[in-house]
Short mmCIF file of all heavy atoms in Angstrom, two decimals:
data_model
loop_
_atom_site.label_atom_id
_atom_site.label_comp_id
_atom_site.label_asym_id
_atom_site.label_seq_id
_atom_site.Cartn_x
_atom_site.Cartn_y
_atom_site.Cartn_z
N MET A 346 21.84 93.90 39.39
CA MET A 346 22.46 95.20 39.58
C MET A 346 23.86 94.99 40.12
O MET A 346 24.10 94.13 40.96
CB MET A 346 21.63 96.03 40.55
CG MET A 346 22.14 97.42 40.72
SD MET A 346 20.92 98.33 41.67
CE MET A 346 21.90 99.69 42.15
N SER A 347 24.80 95.79 39.66
CA SER A 347 26.17 95.68 40.14
C SER A 347 26.64 97.03 40.66
O SER A 347 26.04 98.06 40.39
CB SER A 347 27.10 95.19 39.03
OG SER A 347 27.17 96.15 38.00
N LYS A 348 27.72 96.99 41.43
CA LYS A 348 28.28 98.20 42.01
C LYS A 348 29.78 98.16 41.85
O LYS A 348 30.44 97.21 42.29
CB LYS A 348 27.90 98.28 43.49
CG LYS A 348 28.52 99.44 44.23
CD LYS A 348 27.95 99.63 45.62
CE LYS A 348 28.40 98.56 46.58
NZ LYS A 348 28.01 98.82 47.96
N GLU A 349 30.34 99.15 41.18
CA GLU A 349 31.79 99.24 40.99
C GLU A 349 32.42 99.71 42.30
O GLU A 349 32.00 100.70 42.89
CB GLU A 349 32.11 100.23 39.87
CG GLU A 349 33.57 100.32 39.52
CD GLU A 349 34.06 99.12 38.72
OE1 GLU A 349 33.24 98.39 38.15
OE2 GLU A 349 35.28 98.94 38.67
N LEU A 350 33.41 98.98 42.77
CA LEU A 350 34.11 99.34 44.00
C LEU A 350 35.40 100.06 43.65
O LEU A 350 35.76 100.20 42.49
CB LEU A 350 34.36 98.08 44.83
CG LEU A 350 33.09 97.28 45.16
CD1 LEU A 350 33.45 96.02 45.92
CD2 LEU A 350 32.11 98.11 45.95
N THR A 351 36.11 100.53 44.66
CA THR A 351 37.33 101.30 44.43
C THR A 351 38.33 100.53 43.58
O THR A 351 38.73 99.43 43.95
CB THR A 351 37.98 101.66 45.78
OG1 THR A 351 37.03 102.34 46.57
CG2 THR A 351 39.19 102.54 45.58
N PRO A 352 38.73 101.08 42.43
CA PRO A 352 39.73 100.38 41.60
C PRO A 352 41.11 100.44 42.24
O PRO A 352 41.41 101.37 42.98
CB PRO A 352 39.69 101.15 40.28
CG PRO A 352 39.14 102.48 40.62
CD PRO A 352 38.27 102.30 41.83
N THR A 353 41.91 99.43 41.97
CA THR A 353 43.27 99.38 42.48
C THR A 353 44.21 99.15 41.31
O THR A 353 43.78 99.00 40.18
CB THR A 353 43.43 98.24 43.50
OG1 THR A 353 43.08 97.02 42.85
CG2 THR A 353 42.54 98.42 44.70
N ARG A 354 45.50 99.11 41.58
CA ARG A 354 46.48 98.85 40.54
C ARG A 354 47.38 97.72 40.99
O ARG A 354 47.58 97.52 42.17
CB ARG A 354 47.34 100.08 40.27
CG ARG A 354 46.50 101.24 39.87
CD ARG A 354 46.90 102.09 38.73
NE ARG A 354 47.93 101.71 37.85
CZ ARG A 354 47.74 101.40 36.58
NH1 ARG A 354 46.53 101.34 36.09
NH2 ARG A 354 48.75 101.13 35.79
N CYS A 355 47.89 96.97 40.04
CA CYS A 355 48.87 95.93 40.33
C CYS A 355 49.83 95.87 39.15
O CYS A 355 49.68 96.60 38.19
CB CYS A 355 48.21 94.58 40.60
SG CYS A 355 47.46 93.85 39.16
N ASP A 356 50.81 95.00 39.21
CA ASP A 356 51.83 94.92 38.17
C ASP A 356 51.26 94.61 36.79
O ASP A 356 51.87 94.93 35.78
CB ASP A 356 52.88 93.88 38.53
CG ASP A 356 53.76 94.34 39.67
OD1 ASP A 356 53.83 95.55 39.93
OD2 ASP A 356 54.37 93.49 40.31
N THR A 357 50.11 93.94 36.73
CA THR A 357 49.54 93.59 35.43
C THR A 357 48.68 94.70 34.86
O THR A 357 48.16 94.58 33.77
CB THR A 357 48.69 92.30 35.52
OG1 THR A 357 47.64 92.51 36.45
CG2 THR A 357 49.54 91.12 35.92
N GLY A 358 48.51 95.79 35.59
CA GLY A 358 47.70 96.90 35.10
C GLY A 358 46.53 97.14 36.02
O GLY A 358 46.55 96.79 37.19
N LYS A 359 45.49 97.71 35.49
CA LYS A 359 44.31 98.05 36.29
C LYS A 359 43.55 96.81 36.73
O LYS A 359 43.41 95.85 35.97
CB LYS A 359 43.39 98.95 35.47
CG LYS A 359 42.21 99.44 36.28
CD LYS A 359 41.33 100.36 35.49
CE LYS A 359 40.18 100.77 36.38
NZ LYS A 359 39.11 101.41 35.67
N VAL A 360 43.08 96.85 37.95
CA VAL A 360 42.21 95.81 38.48
C VAL A 360 40.89 96.46 38.83
O VAL A 360 40.85 97.41 39.61
CB VAL A 360 42.81 95.17 39.76
CG1 VAL A 360 41.86 94.13 40.33
CG2 VAL A 360 44.18 94.58 39.48
N SER A 361 39.80 96.00 38.22
CA SER A 361 38.49 96.54 38.60
C SER A 361 37.81 95.53 39.52
O SER A 361 37.95 94.33 39.35
CB SER A 361 37.63 96.85 37.37
OG SER A 361 37.33 95.68 36.67
N VAL A 362 37.09 96.06 40.49
CA VAL A 362 36.40 95.23 41.48
C VAL A 362 34.93 95.60 41.44
O VAL A 362 34.57 96.76 41.62
CB VAL A 362 36.99 95.46 42.88
CG1 VAL A 362 36.29 94.57 43.91
CG2 VAL A 362 38.49 95.21 42.90
N THR A 363 34.08 94.60 41.20
CA THR A 363 32.65 94.83 41.06
C THR A 363 31.88 93.86 41.96
O THR A 363 32.14 92.66 41.96
CB THR A 363 32.20 94.60 39.60
OG1 THR A 363 32.99 95.43 38.75
CG2 THR A 363 30.74 94.93 39.41
N GLN A 364 30.95 94.40 42.71
CA GLN A 364 30.05 93.58 43.52
C GLN A 364 28.78 93.39 42.71
O GLN A 364 28.28 94.33 42.10
CB GLN A 364 29.73 94.32 44.83
CG GLN A 364 28.78 93.58 45.74
CD GLN A 364 28.54 94.37 47.02
OE1 GLN A 364 29.46 94.92 47.61
NE2 GLN A 364 27.29 94.45 47.43
N PHE A 365 28.26 92.14 42.69
CA PHE A 365 27.06 91.88 41.91
C PHE A 365 26.22 90.80 42.56
O PHE A 365 26.68 90.07 43.43
CB PHE A 365 27.42 91.51 40.46
CG PHE A 365 28.12 90.17 40.33
CD1 PHE A 365 27.40 89.03 40.00
CD2 PHE A 365 29.48 90.06 40.54
CE1 PHE A 365 28.03 87.80 39.88
CE2 PHE A 365 30.13 88.84 40.43
CZ PHE A 365 29.40 87.71 40.09
N TRP A 366 24.97 90.71 42.13
CA TRP A 366 24.04 89.70 42.62
C TRP A 366 24.19 88.46 41.74
O TRP A 366 23.96 88.50 40.54
CB TRP A 366 22.61 90.23 42.58
CG TRP A 366 21.57 89.23 42.99
CD1 TRP A 366 20.59 88.71 42.21
CD2 TRP A 366 21.40 88.65 44.28
NE1 TRP A 366 19.83 87.83 42.92
CE2 TRP A 366 20.31 87.77 44.22
CE3 TRP A 366 22.07 88.77 45.49
CZ2 TRP A 366 19.86 87.03 45.30
CZ3 TRP A 366 21.63 88.03 46.57
CH2 TRP A 366 20.54 87.17 46.47
N GLY A 367 24.60 87.34 42.34
CA GLY A 367 24.83 86.11 41.60
C GLY A 367 23.62 85.19 41.54
O GLY A 367 23.75 84.04 41.13
N GLY A 368 22.46 85.68 41.97
CA GLY A 368 21.24 84.87 41.94
C GLY A 368 20.94 84.27 43.31
O GLY A 368 21.70 84.40 44.26
N MET A 369 19.82 83.59 43.39
CA MET A 369 19.37 83.04 44.67
C MET A 369 20.34 82.01 45.25
O MET A 369 20.51 81.93 46.45
CB MET A 369 17.97 82.41 44.51
CG MET A 369 16.88 83.42 44.24
SD MET A 369 16.69 84.65 45.56
CE MET A 369 16.12 83.62 46.88
N VAL A 370 20.98 81.24 44.41
CA VAL A 370 21.88 80.19 44.90
C VAL A 370 23.21 80.78 45.35
O VAL A 370 23.71 80.44 46.42
CB VAL A 370 22.10 79.11 43.81
CG1 VAL A 370 23.15 78.11 44.25
CG2 VAL A 370 20.80 78.41 43.49
N ARG A 371 23.77 81.68 44.56
CA ARG A 371 25.11 82.21 44.87
C ARG A 371 25.08 83.45 45.74
O ARG A 371 26.05 83.74 46.44
CB ARG A 371 25.86 82.51 43.57
CG ARG A 371 26.15 81.23 42.81
CD ARG A 371 26.80 81.39 41.47
NE ARG A 371 27.34 82.70 41.15
CZ ARG A 371 28.07 82.96 40.09
NH1 ARG A 371 28.36 82.01 39.25
NH2 ARG A 371 28.50 84.17 39.85
N GLY A 372 24.01 84.23 45.70
CA GLY A 372 23.92 85.44 46.52
C GLY A 372 24.84 86.55 46.02
O GLY A 372 25.20 86.61 44.85
N THR A 373 25.25 87.42 46.93
CA THR A 373 26.14 88.53 46.58
C THR A 373 27.53 88.00 46.27
O THR A 373 28.08 87.20 47.02
CB THR A 373 26.21 89.55 47.73
OG1 THR A 373 24.89 90.02 48.01
CG2 THR A 373 27.09 90.73 47.37
N MET A 374 28.08 88.46 45.17
CA MET A 374 29.40 88.01 44.71
C MET A 374 30.28 89.23 44.47
O MET A 374 29.80 90.36 44.37
CB MET A 374 29.26 87.24 43.39
CG MET A 374 28.38 86.02 43.45
SD MET A 374 29.13 84.65 44.32
CE MET A 374 30.44 84.19 43.19
N LEU A 375 31.57 88.96 44.36
CA LEU A 375 32.55 89.98 44.03
C LEU A 375 33.36 89.48 42.85
O LEU A 375 33.77 88.31 42.84
CB LEU A 375 33.48 90.21 45.23
CG LEU A 375 34.45 91.38 45.10
CD1 LEU A 375 33.70 92.68 45.41
CD2 LEU A 375 35.59 91.20 46.06
N GLN A 376 33.53 90.32 41.85
CA GLN A 376 34.37 89.94 40.70
C GLN A 376 35.53 90.91 40.60
O GLN A 376 35.35 92.13 40.63
CB GLN A 376 33.58 89.96 39.40
CG GLN A 376 34.47 89.64 38.19
CD GLN A 376 33.69 89.41 36.93
OE1 GLN A 376 32.78 88.60 36.89
NE2 GLN A 376 34.03 90.14 35.88
N MET A 377 36.74 90.36 40.50
CA MET A 377 37.94 91.13 40.24
C MET A 377 38.36 90.84 38.81
O MET A 377 38.49 89.68 38.43
CB MET A 377 39.05 90.75 41.21
CG MET A 377 38.75 91.19 42.63
SD MET A 377 39.91 90.55 43.81
CE MET A 377 39.15 88.96 44.13
N THR A 378 38.51 91.88 38.01
CA THR A 378 38.89 91.74 36.61
C THR A 378 40.26 92.39 36.42
O THR A 378 40.45 93.55 36.79
CB THR A 378 37.86 92.41 35.69
OG1 THR A 378 36.56 91.88 35.98
CG2 THR A 378 38.19 92.17 34.23
N PHE A 379 41.19 91.61 35.89
CA PHE A 379 42.58 92.04 35.71
C PHE A 379 42.91 92.14 34.23
O PHE A 379 42.57 91.25 33.46
CB PHE A 379 43.55 91.00 36.32
CG PHE A 379 43.30 90.68 37.76
CD1 PHE A 379 42.35 89.73 38.12
CD2 PHE A 379 44.02 91.31 38.75
CE1 PHE A 379 42.13 89.42 39.45
CE2 PHE A 379 43.82 91.00 40.09
CZ PHE A 379 42.86 90.06 40.43
N SER A 380 43.60 93.19 33.85
CA SER A 380 44.13 93.28 32.49
C SER A 380 45.37 92.42 32.40
O SER A 380 46.27 92.53 33.23
CB SER A 380 44.50 94.72 32.15
OG SER A 380 43.38 95.54 32.17
N LYS A 381 45.41 91.53 31.42
CA LYS A 381 46.59 90.69 31.24
C LYS A 381 47.73 91.51 30.67
O LYS A 381 47.50 92.44 29.89
CB LYS A 381 46.29 89.55 30.25
CG LYS A 381 45.36 88.49 30.76
CD LYS A 381 45.19 87.43 29.69
CE LYS A 381 44.26 86.33 30.13
NZ LYS A 381 44.07 85.33 29.07
N PRO A 382 48.97 91.15 31.01
CA PRO A 382 50.09 91.81 30.34
C PRO A 382 50.09 91.42 28.86
O PRO A 382 49.53 90.39 28.49
CB PRO A 382 51.33 91.25 31.06
CG PRO A 382 50.86 90.11 31.87
CD PRO A 382 49.37 90.19 32.00
N GLU A 383 50.71 92.23 28.03
CA GLU A 383 50.70 92.01 26.58
C GLU A 383 51.10 90.59 26.18
O GLU A 383 50.47 89.98 25.32
CB GLU A 383 51.63 93.01 25.88
CG GLU A 383 51.08 94.42 25.82
CD GLU A 383 49.85 94.56 24.95
OE1 GLU A 383 49.74 93.85 23.94
OE2 GLU A 383 49.01 95.40 25.28
N TYR A 384 52.13 90.05 26.81
CA TYR A 384 52.63 88.72 26.42
C TYR A 384 51.68 87.58 26.79
O TYR A 384 51.82 86.47 26.32
CB TYR A 384 54.02 88.47 27.02
CG TYR A 384 54.06 88.45 28.52
CD1 TYR A 384 53.82 87.27 29.23
CD2 TYR A 384 54.34 89.59 29.25
CE1 TYR A 384 53.84 87.25 30.62
CE2 TYR A 384 54.37 89.58 30.63
CZ TYR A 384 54.13 88.40 31.31
OH TYR A 384 54.17 88.39 32.68
N GLU A 385 50.68 87.84 27.64
CA GLU A 385 49.71 86.82 28.05
C GLU A 385 48.42 86.86 27.24
O GLU A 385 47.56 86.03 27.41
CB GLU A 385 49.35 87.00 29.53
CG GLU A 385 50.45 86.62 30.50
CD GLU A 385 50.55 85.12 30.69
OE1 GLU A 385 49.56 84.40 30.49
OE2 GLU A 385 51.65 84.68 31.04
N ARG A 386 48.25 87.87 26.42
CA ARG A 386 46.98 88.06 25.72
C ARG A 386 46.88 87.12 24.53
O ARG A 386 47.55 87.28 23.55
CB ARG A 386 46.83 89.50 25.26
CG ARG A 386 46.71 90.43 26.44
CD ARG A 386 46.56 91.85 26.02
NE ARG A 386 46.54 92.67 27.23
CZ ARG A 386 46.32 93.95 27.24
NH1 ARG A 386 46.10 94.59 26.11
NH2 ARG A 386 46.32 94.61 28.36
N GLY A 387 46.02 86.14 24.66
CA GLY A 387 45.73 85.24 23.57
C GLY A 387 44.33 85.53 23.08
O GLY A 387 44.08 86.50 22.38
N LYS A 388 43.39 84.71 23.51
CA LYS A 388 42.00 84.89 23.11
C LYS A 388 41.32 86.01 23.89
O LYS A 388 40.39 86.62 23.41
CB LYS A 388 41.23 83.59 23.32
CG LYS A 388 41.70 82.46 22.44
CD LYS A 388 40.92 81.21 22.70
CE LYS A 388 41.45 80.07 21.85
NZ LYS A 388 40.78 78.82 22.13
N SER A 389 41.78 86.25 25.10
CA SER A 389 41.13 87.25 25.94
C SER A 389 42.18 88.18 26.56
O SER A 389 43.21 87.72 27.02
CB SER A 389 40.33 86.57 27.05
OG SER A 389 39.88 87.52 28.00
N PRO A 390 41.89 89.48 26.63
CA PRO A 390 42.83 90.41 27.25
C PRO A 390 42.64 90.51 28.77
O PRO A 390 43.31 91.28 29.42
CB PRO A 390 42.51 91.74 26.58
CG PRO A 390 41.06 91.64 26.27
CD PRO A 390 40.82 90.18 25.94
N LEU A 391 41.71 89.71 29.32
CA LEU A 391 41.38 89.83 30.75
C LEU A 391 41.44 88.49 31.48
O LEU A 391 41.20 87.44 30.90
CB LEU A 391 39.97 90.40 30.91
CG LEU A 391 39.69 91.74 30.26
CD1 LEU A 391 38.21 92.07 30.35
CD2 LEU A 391 40.53 92.83 30.89
N TRP A 392 41.74 88.58 32.78
CA TRP A 392 41.54 87.47 33.71
C TRP A 392 40.45 87.95 34.66
O TRP A 392 40.35 89.14 34.94
CB TRP A 392 42.78 87.25 34.57
CG TRP A 392 43.94 86.58 33.96
CD1 TRP A 392 43.94 85.45 33.20
CD2 TRP A 392 45.31 86.97 34.08
NE1 TRP A 392 45.22 85.12 32.85
CE2 TRP A 392 46.07 86.04 33.38
CE3 TRP A 392 45.97 88.01 34.72
CZ2 TRP A 392 47.45 86.12 33.29
CZ3 TRP A 392 47.34 88.09 34.64
CH2 TRP A 392 48.06 87.15 33.93
N TYR A 393 39.65 87.04 35.17
CA TYR A 393 38.71 87.46 36.19
C TYR A 393 38.56 86.37 37.24
O TYR A 393 38.84 85.20 37.00
CB TYR A 393 37.33 87.84 35.61
CG TYR A 393 36.55 86.68 35.05
CD1 TYR A 393 35.64 86.00 35.84
CD2 TYR A 393 36.72 86.28 33.73
CE1 TYR A 393 34.93 84.93 35.34
CE2 TYR A 393 36.01 85.22 33.22
CZ TYR A 393 35.12 84.55 34.02
OH TYR A 393 34.40 83.48 33.52
N LEU A 394 38.15 86.80 38.43
CA LEU A 394 37.96 85.91 39.57
C LEU A 394 36.67 86.32 40.26
O LEU A 394 36.47 87.50 40.55
CB LEU A 394 39.15 86.07 40.54
CG LEU A 394 39.08 85.33 41.87
CD1 LEU A 394 39.11 83.82 41.64
CD2 LEU A 394 40.23 85.76 42.75
N GLN A 395 35.79 85.35 40.51
CA GLN A 395 34.54 85.62 41.21
C GLN A 395 34.54 84.85 42.53
O GLN A 395 34.88 83.66 42.55
CB GLN A 395 33.34 85.19 40.37
CG GLN A 395 33.16 86.00 39.12
CD GLN A 395 31.97 85.56 38.30
OE1 GLN A 395 31.40 84.50 38.49
NE2 GLN A 395 31.59 86.40 37.34
N VAL A 396 34.19 85.55 43.62
CA VAL A 396 34.16 84.92 44.94
C VAL A 396 32.91 85.35 45.69
O VAL A 396 32.37 86.43 45.47
CB VAL A 396 35.41 85.29 45.77
CG1 VAL A 396 36.68 84.71 45.16
CG2 VAL A 396 35.56 86.79 45.94
N ASN A 397 32.46 84.48 46.60
CA ASN A 397 31.37 84.82 47.50
C ASN A 397 31.99 85.42 48.77
O ASN A 397 33.21 85.44 48.92
CB ASN A 397 30.47 83.61 47.78
CG ASN A 397 31.20 82.49 48.50
OD1 ASN A 397 32.10 82.71 49.31
ND2 ASN A 397 30.82 81.26 48.21
N PRO A 398 31.18 85.95 49.71
CA PRO A 398 31.75 86.58 50.89
C PRO A 398 32.66 85.66 51.71
O PRO A 398 33.71 86.09 52.19
CB PRO A 398 30.51 87.00 51.70
CG PRO A 398 29.48 87.25 50.66
CD PRO A 398 29.72 86.16 49.63
N SER A 399 32.31 84.40 51.85
CA SER A 399 33.14 83.47 52.61
C SER A 399 34.50 83.26 51.94
O SER A 399 35.55 83.28 52.60
CB SER A 399 32.41 82.13 52.75
OG SER A 399 33.22 81.19 53.40
N GLN A 400 34.48 83.09 50.63
CA GLN A 400 35.74 82.93 49.89
C GLN A 400 36.57 84.20 49.95
O GLN A 400 37.80 84.13 50.08
CB GLN A 400 35.44 82.56 48.43
CG GLN A 400 34.82 81.20 48.27
CD GLN A 400 34.24 80.99 46.87
OE1 GLN A 400 33.70 81.91 46.25
NE2 GLN A 400 34.35 79.77 46.38
N ALA A 401 35.92 85.36 49.87
CA ALA A 401 36.64 86.64 49.95
C ALA A 401 37.31 86.79 51.31
O ALA A 401 38.46 87.23 51.41
CB ALA A 401 35.67 87.80 49.71
N ARG A 402 36.62 86.39 52.38
CA ARG A 402 37.17 86.47 53.73
C ARG A 402 38.40 85.57 53.86
O ARG A 402 39.44 85.98 54.37
CB ARG A 402 36.09 86.07 54.74
CG ARG A 402 36.29 86.57 56.12
CD ARG A 402 35.10 86.34 57.07
NE ARG A 402 34.05 85.46 56.62
CZ ARG A 402 32.89 85.87 56.07
NH1 ARG A 402 32.65 87.14 55.90
NH2 ARG A 402 31.98 84.99 55.71
N ASP A 403 38.30 84.34 53.35
CA ASP A 403 39.43 83.41 53.39
C ASP A 403 40.61 83.94 52.58
O ASP A 403 41.76 83.86 53.01
CB ASP A 403 39.02 82.02 52.87
CG ASP A 403 38.05 81.30 53.79
OD1 ASP A 403 37.90 81.73 54.96
OD2 ASP A 403 37.44 80.31 53.32
N MET A 404 40.32 84.47 51.40
CA MET A 404 41.38 84.99 50.55
C MET A 404 42.04 86.21 51.21
O MET A 404 43.26 86.35 51.19
CB MET A 404 40.85 85.39 49.17
CG MET A 404 41.95 85.84 48.26
SD MET A 404 41.53 86.24 46.55
CE MET A 404 39.80 86.26 46.44
N ALA A 405 41.24 87.08 51.80
CA ALA A 405 41.79 88.27 52.46
C ALA A 405 42.71 87.87 53.62
O ALA A 405 43.79 88.44 53.78
CB ALA A 405 40.66 89.16 52.96
N ALA A 406 42.31 86.87 54.39
CA ALA A 406 43.14 86.40 55.51
C ALA A 406 44.46 85.82 54.99
O ALA A 406 45.53 86.09 55.54
CB ALA A 406 42.39 85.37 56.33
N THR A 407 44.40 85.06 53.92
CA THR A 407 45.61 84.47 53.33
C THR A 407 46.53 85.55 52.79
O THR A 407 47.75 85.52 53.01
CB THR A 407 45.23 83.49 52.20
OG1 THR A 407 44.43 82.45 52.76
CG2 THR A 407 46.46 82.89 51.54
N LEU A 408 45.97 86.53 52.08
CA LEU A 408 46.77 87.62 51.52
C LEU A 408 47.40 88.47 52.62
O LEU A 408 48.57 88.87 52.52
CB LEU A 408 45.93 88.49 50.59
CG LEU A 408 45.49 87.83 49.29
CD1 LEU A 408 44.47 88.71 48.56
CD2 LEU A 408 46.68 87.53 48.40
N LEU A 409 46.65 88.74 53.67
CA LEU A 409 47.17 89.53 54.77
C LEU A 409 48.31 88.79 55.49
O LEU A 409 49.35 89.38 55.79
CB LEU A 409 46.06 89.88 55.76
CG LEU A 409 46.45 90.78 56.92
CD1 LEU A 409 47.05 92.09 56.41
CD2 LEU A 409 45.25 91.05 57.79
N ALA A 410 48.14 87.49 55.72
CA ALA A 410 49.19 86.69 56.35
C ALA A 410 50.45 86.70 55.49
O ALA A 410 51.57 86.85 55.99
CB ALA A 410 48.71 85.26 56.59
N PHE A 411 50.29 86.58 54.18
CA PHE A 411 51.42 86.61 53.26
C PHE A 411 52.13 87.96 53.32
O PHE A 411 53.34 88.05 53.42
CB PHE A 411 50.95 86.33 51.83
CG PHE A 411 51.99 86.57 50.79
CD1 PHE A 411 53.06 85.70 50.63
CD2 PHE A 411 51.92 87.68 49.98
CE1 PHE A 411 54.03 85.93 49.67
CE2 PHE A 411 52.89 87.93 49.02
CZ PHE A 411 53.95 87.04 48.86
N ALA A 412 51.34 89.06 53.27
CA ALA A 412 51.93 90.39 53.29
C ALA A 412 52.67 90.65 54.60
O ALA A 412 53.76 91.23 54.59
CB ALA A 412 50.83 91.45 53.10
N GLU A 413 52.11 90.22 55.71
CA GLU A 413 52.78 90.41 57.01
C GLU A 413 54.05 89.58 57.10
O GLU A 413 55.06 90.04 57.62
CB GLU A 413 51.82 90.08 58.13
CG GLU A 413 50.73 91.13 58.28
CD GLU A 413 49.70 90.77 59.32
OE1 GLU A 413 49.69 89.62 59.83
OE2 GLU A 413 48.87 91.65 59.63
N GLU A 414 54.03 88.36 56.57
CA GLU A 414 55.22 87.51 56.58
C GLU A 414 56.32 88.15 55.74
O GLU A 414 57.48 88.17 56.15
CB GLU A 414 54.86 86.13 56.01
CG GLU A 414 56.03 85.17 55.95
CD GLU A 414 55.64 83.84 55.36
OE1 GLU A 414 54.65 83.25 55.86
OE2 GLU A 414 56.28 83.42 54.40
N GLN A 415 55.96 88.68 54.57
CA GLN A 415 56.96 89.30 53.70
C GLN A 415 57.52 90.57 54.34
O GLN A 415 58.69 90.89 54.19
CB GLN A 415 56.35 89.63 52.33
CG GLN A 415 55.95 88.41 51.54
CD GLN A 415 57.11 87.46 51.29
OE1 GLN A 415 58.15 87.86 50.80
NE2 GLN A 415 56.94 86.21 51.66
N ALA A 416 56.69 91.31 55.06
CA ALA A 416 57.14 92.54 55.71
C ALA A 416 58.12 92.24 56.85
O ALA A 416 58.96 93.07 57.19
CB ALA A 416 55.95 93.33 56.25
N ASN A 417 58.00 91.05 57.43
CA ASN A 417 58.86 90.68 58.55
C ASN A 417 60.15 89.99 58.11
O ASN A 417 60.98 89.65 58.94
CB ASN A 417 58.11 89.76 59.52
CG ASN A 417 56.99 90.49 60.22
OD1 ASN A 417 57.10 91.69 60.50
ND2 ASN A 417 55.90 89.82 60.49
N ASP A 418 60.32 89.75 56.82
CA ASP A 418 61.54 89.10 56.32
C ASP A 418 62.67 90.08 56.19
O ASP A 418 62.60 91.22 56.06
CB ASP A 418 61.30 88.44 54.96
CG ASP A 418 60.55 87.12 55.13
OD1 ASP A 418 60.41 86.65 56.24
OD2 ASP A 418 60.09 86.60 54.09
#
């Protein structure tokens, strides 16, 4: 079973965020699916990234540190 989370937008277009069960080994996962810009579309029109809660926490901390650093420049 999966659950669609609040969609966001970025420069490449719509980003969908879905939480899903990755099985007994992987547990709860999060998938972010990005629409590729027209010039990047070869075999697939999408990019996707799957992370577990620990990876999501690390990524969120990195993104927040980056955003705060850019805001202070």
Side-chain angles (χ1 to χ4, degrees):
M346 185 171 164
S347 65
K348 175 170 72 172
E349 185 75 17
L350 304 177
T351 304
T353 59
R354 302 224 12 112
C355 69
D356 289 340
T357 60
K359 185 178 179 192
V360 178
S361 65
V362 181
T363 306
Q364 178 179 317
F365 68 97
W366 177 245
M369 292 299 294
V370 174
R371 294 176 13 172
T373 302
M374 301 287 291
L375 187 80
Q376 177 170 307
M377 291 172 274
T378 305
F379 304 84
S380 296
K381 289 182 181 179
E383 286 293 327
Y384 63 88
E385 288 282 335
R386 294 180 183 185
K388 295 180 183 176
S389 170
L391 303 172
W392 284 314
Y393 69 93
L394 174 66
Q395 294 180 346
V396 294
N397 64 33
S399 176
Q400 293 166 325
R402 202 171 12 262
D403 291 346
M404 184 176 10
T407 300
L408 291 171
L409 184 56
F411 170 74
E413 288 175 351
E414 179 181 307
Q415 294 302 308
N417 293 326
D418 283 349

